[in-house]
Amino acid sequence: QYKTSLSVYPNPSEELVTFMVNQGDQYIEEVNIYSLNGEVVQKQYFGNHLLVTMPIISLPKGVYIYKVRTGAQWTAGKIVKM
């Protein structure tokens, strides 16, 4: 098993964040966005997409943690809402 290669853009963003897997044999199934204190502020399930876009316009400005599930693998990182 190898690590999921994931592109996240634009980052920072004001309205939308796009998540895209960079391997054709992996698909995005779920994206969770957390506040820095660990609270889930947004969660969305997808039906095996290579590219998904999530609106973040309703979130307050700040730094958030994302977790993206591709099968049994989770990939995490930070996004900045401007």
Side-chain angles (χ1 to χ4, degrees):
Q1 183 172 341
Y2 49 86
K3 184 170 173 52
T4 301
S5 178
L6 187 72
S7 297
V8 181
Y9 59 90
N11 191 11
S13 178
E14 293 182 5
E15 297 181 11
L16 299 169
V17 176
T18 298
F19 301 88
M20 182 178 75
V21 288
N22 298 318
Q23 290 117 346
D25 62 339
Q26 293 190 338
Y27 300 93
I28 296 173
E29 297 178 20
E30 180 180 351
V31 177
N32 298 331
I33 298 177
Y34 300 85
S35 66
L36 289 180
N37 66 7
E39 176 188 358
V40 177
V41 294
Q42 204 161 341
K43 177 183 276 196
Q44 195 162 343
Y45 297 95
F46 301 94
N48 295 335
H49 293 348
L50 293 173
L51 182 141
V52 298
T53 300
M54 290 185 66
I56 61 167
I57 193 165
S58 64
L59 296 177
K61 293 179 182 179
V63 177
Y64 295 87
I65 304 296
Y66 67 81
K67 291 186 180 177
V68 176
R69 181 168 59 89
T70 54
Q73 174 110 13
W74 287 89
T75 302
K78 292 182 182 177
I79 54 173
V80 176
K81 165 63 168 44
M82 295 182 57

